[in-house]
Amino acid sequence: MLIGSNKIESHNEELLKKHTNKLAFTTTEISDTESIIKKLIDFQIAIPSWALGTGGTRFGRFAGGGEPRSLEEKIEDVGLLHALNNASGAISLHIPWDIPTDHNAIKALAAQHNLKFDAVNSNTFQDQANADHSYRYGSLQNVNKAVRKQAIAHNIEVIQQGIALGSESLTIWLADGSNFPGQLNFRKAYQNTLESLEEIYDALPSNWKLFLEYKCAEPNFYSTTVADWGQSYSYVKKLGDKAQTLVDLGHHLPNANIEQIVSLLLMENKLGGFHFNDSKYGDDDLTAGALKPYQLFLIFNELVEGMDARGMNHAKDLGWMIDASHNIKDPLEDLLQSVEAIMIAYAQALSVDRKALEIAQDENDVVKAQEILQNAFRTDVRALVAEARLRSGAALNPVELYRSLTVRKNLIGERGLKTMATGL
Ligand code: RM4
Ligand code: MN
Ligand code: MN
């Protein structure tokens, strides 16, 4: 299904008057809205190919119908999102869930939808059919060299796939760890993992990045071999300049100060990118900003401050991705909501009065500093995000248009009710 620009235009016409009034009010509240809108237009968030279907939990799966049956249909789904919000201009593939058969055809299809290929992701957390070895006891850390070799070869193959598509980064998330005390020698597991990562790193093209994700627990519940940002930092520091840490918001111990982690990684030039989502208990992979929008804002506040301090390009110099899993929502509606929440947090961070904040910090004026941040968070920036969409030919209200065009019903008509996407 394609959304014609005439559909978007008539939707926008209907909402225009209300929007213009809101925007006029917002410009009285926030200074330099023009430069904020320009940055919002440039900002793109990659959509994970594995989040376009309805995932399940350990207990059940409630598919919503019309799920993409192939990589082509996944690209079409991301194309739909991008047509609606002009902020989802890239797709992040998980291999082997999404192995292209004809790279040129896939590239051409993505180009038709104005999509790029973001980071490619390897998978050594599941055994693959016909594989010689099992990852039951880990992959890059495994005590058995043959298993490590298989996992290294898989990562190198993922790099080759990415090269063929025009990706420029590899994200590695390892399920490796242990379930019981005594199961692993921590130092040996670290050393094996480092050596394996070094081999993968050597296979990276010169313009590529390697993002090493960390996660405190799950699927292993006693130890994880890349468990937190310090451990990821220790690996990427040894690997070299092309290796950086990836922060997935759901991968921390409860109440971790993620914004401080982000600030310091950025300062060390070791922050590579993000997997946005939200959570209450663990790696819940819920809609970004659904539970802790203030935390999301505080993270963006550090990002904007830190990136500006280094003269970085907000849109291009870090990898921005969503990592999500849906149990009950329509995945496309959920992804539209996530992108919107991320854009709002970014716009709020851009609106912070940085000079005033710096003065307040230098004067130890704690109350003033808090006022400045909370004022930015509490000021409604939604009209700025909507204006960025309007100017780039997208919809003023993507979810509303998605619903009024009955997109899901059409997809079910095209693809059927009982389809199942590969992924989570
Ligand atoms: C993990 C991690 C990875 C993602 C897999 C599917 O928890 O977040 O980024 O690729 O899930
Ligand atoms: Mn992730
Ligand atoms: Mn995760």
Side-chain angles (χ1 to χ4, degrees):
M1 184 191 173
L2 283 173
I3 297 179
S5 54
N6 56 331
K7 295 264 168 36
I8 295 178
E9 275 160 28
S10 54
H11 159 87
N12 285 347
E13 259 163 44
E14 252 177 63
L15 301 183
L16 194 61
K17 196 158 177 271
K18 212 171 156 200
H19 166 69
T20 314
N21 290 340
K22 270 183 88 175
L23 183 66
F25 178 70
T26 311
T27 42
T28 64
E29 293 271 287
I30 298 172
S31 59
D32 206 8
T33 49
E34 268 310 304
S35 92
I36 297 179
I37 293 166
K38 285 204 183 88
K39 288 191 176 121
L40 292 173
I41 292 174
D42 288 343
F43 204 71
Q44 300 294 320
I45 300 140
I47 303 295
S49 66
W50 60 98
L52 296 160
T54 319
T57 66
R58 284 193 291 152
F59 302 100
R61 187 174 176 276
F62 305 98
E67 292 187 9
R69 294 162 297 180
S70 60
L71 177 54
E72 286 78 359
E73 290 183 350
K74 289 183 178 184
I75 290 173
E76 283 162 20
D77 277 8
V78 180
L80 280 172
L81 298 177
H82 193 44
L84 289 166
N85 66 16
N86 196 51
S88 313
I91 181 166
S92 182
L93 298 190
H94 225 302
I95 310 284
W97 288 335
D98 296 294
I99 300 187
T101 40
D102 179 344
H103 295 89
N104 285 336
I106 285 291
K107 267 173 97 170
L109 180 67
Q112 266 175 35
H113 293 279
N114 292 319
L115 302 178
K116 296 201 172 95
F117 289 92
D118 212 279
V120 277
N121 301 259
S122 57
N123 178 341
T124 58
F125 47 87
Q126 288 174 319
D127 282 344
Q128 305 308 326
N130 308 321
D132 291 337
H133 303 282
S134 168
Y135 297 130
R136 184 184 183 108
Y137 300 111
S139 58
L140 300 185
Q141 72 165 23
N142 204 295
V143 290
N144 181 346
K145 186 155 192 203
V147 183
R148 301 202 296 274
K149 277 190 135 175
Q150 177 181 289
I152 293 165
H154 166 69
N155 275 279
I156 294 175
E157 198 218 311
V158 174
I159 296 173
Q160 303 304 332
Q161 294 283 351
I163 293 171
L165 292 170
S167 282
E168 289 178 356
S169 46
L170 167 73
T171 297
I172 300 181
W173 170 66
L174 297 173
D176 294 20
S178 67
N179 263 312
F180 297 97
Q183 184 185 333
L184 267 190
N185 176 309
F186 295 137
R187 269 187 302 106
K188 280 188 187 163
Y190 179 101
Q191 214 51 51
N192 283 337
T193 304
L194 179 62
E195 278 171 30
S196 304
L197 287 170
E198 278 165 352
E199 280 195 47
I200 299 165
Y201 186 87
D202 285 344
L204 285 178
S206 59
N207 61 332
W208 270 54
K209 290 271 166 64
L210 184 158
F211 298 148
L212 184 62
E213 202 170 340
Y214 57 88
K215 181 170 175 178
C216 58
E218 197 210 9
N220 279 289
F221 291 107
Y222 172 61
S223 75
T224 299
T225 298
V226 191
D228 60 24
W229 77 280
Q231 294 172 38
S232 173
Y233 178 81
S234 155
Y235 288 107
V236 295
K237 182 113 177 106
K238 292 190 182 79
L239 289 173
D241 291 345
K242 289 186 278 177
Q244 292 178 315
T245 297
L246 184 135
V247 176
D248 181 316
L249 298 186
H251 288 193
H252 303 84
L253 290 168
N255 300 327
N257 187 335
I258 303 176
E259 53 272 26
Q260 187 181 15
I261 293 172
V262 167
S263 165
L264 297 187
L265 281 173
L266 196 48
M267 180 187 79
E268 298 284 1
N269 199 16
K270 279 296 182 193
L271 181 64
F274 271 85
H275 276 178
F276 291 109
N277 49 50
D278 211 342
S279 57
K280 189 154 179 71
Y281 301 105
D283 189 24
D284 308 343
D285 280 343
L286 300 174
T287 324
L291 288 110
K292 291 173 271 186
Y294 193 53
Q295 182 190 58
L296 189 59
F297 158 71
L298 293 174
I299 290 169
F300 266 99
N301 178 50
E302 295 304 331
L303 284 167
V304 167
E305 195 272 338
M307 290 184 92
D308 287 348
R310 300 184 68 91
M312 290 165 76
N313 179 315
H314 296 182
K316 296 202 177 98
D317 292 349
L318 290 182
W320 308 110
M321 291 161 268
I322 289 173
D323 189 358
S325 170
H326 318 279
N327 299 326
I328 53 163
K329 281 187 189 167
D330 175 330
L332 294 180
E333 291 189 351
D334 183 280
L335 289 162
L336 288 173
Q337 289 183 312
S338 274
V339 172
E340 176 79 7
I342 294 164
M343 293 305 245
I344 288 172
Y346 178 42
Q348 287 164 336
L350 290 171
S351 77
V352 168
D353 185 342
R354 300 241 157 247
K355 281 208 189 95
L357 182 60
E358 206 182 321
I359 294 169
Q361 289 170 342
D362 288 346
E363 291 175 353
N364 287 318
D365 191 342
V366 185
V367 170
K368 180 84 185 168
Q370 182 184 339
E371 288 289 306
I372 291 165
L373 284 191
Q374 290 192 335
N375 178 51
F377 178 69
R378 288 167 178 162
T379 305
D380 189 354
V381 296
R382 287 174 299 175
L384 301 181
V385 178
E387 178 66 12
R389 280 196 295 270
L390 182 68
R391 291 194 196 173
S392 52
L396 277 172
N397 187 331
V399 173
E400 199 180 296
L401 181 57
Y402 178 90
R403 289 197 162 190
S404 72
L405 295 174
T406 62
V407 176
R408 182 55 59 186
K409 204 170 141 224
N410 295 350
L411 292 176
I412 292 173
E414 278 172 26
R415 301 170 180 172
L417 194 59
K418 293 225 148 64
T419 60
M420 214 209 265
T422 49
L424 285 173

